[in-house]
Amino acid sequence: MAEKLLKISKVCELTSLSATEIGRREKSGTFPKRIQISEKRSAWVGSEIEAWVQATIKNARGNEQCQ
């Protein structure tokens, strides 16, 4: 399957995070970094966002079991 590049609107939709929060997490190193695809456009690699979502779910579920 071909890799997909995602715009910020799609990343927000998939993660339920705002663009501001994505920027904060990206800067802190807890969210995948965007890539520059043209002079004025950047995007995220779809598989990296999907992996982040899956890891977030796994961490949340793991925390529920520990309580």
Side-chain angles (χ1 to χ4, degrees), residues 27-62:
K27 188 174 180 179
S28 73
T30 61
F31 195 81
K33 299 277 186 197
R34 66 189 90 194
I35 60 171
Q36 200 70 34
I37 58 175
S38 72
E39 185 178 325
K40 295 183 179 183
R41 185 67 102 173
S42 59
W44 285 261
V45 178
S47 61
E48 292 176 2
I49 299 303
E50 179 62 28
W52 182 90
V53 169
Q54 293 303 317
T56 300
I57 292 168
K58 184 177 178 180
N59 288 339
R61 298 287 187 228

Side-chain angles (χ1 to χ4, degrees), residues 17-33:
L17 297 173
S18 68
T20 301
E21 183 61 21
I22 288 169
R24 283 187 197 118
R25 291 178 184 217
E26 202 177 11
K27 188 174 180 179
S28 73
T30 61
F31 195 81
K33 299 277 186 197

Side-chain angles (χ1 to χ4, degrees), residues 6-15 17 19 22 41 44:
L6 307 176
K7 297 189 308 183
I8 186 66
S9 59
K10 187 66 173 177
V11 175
C12 290
E13 178 185 334
L14 292 172
T15 63
L17 297 173
I22 288 169
R41 185 67 102 173
W44 285 261

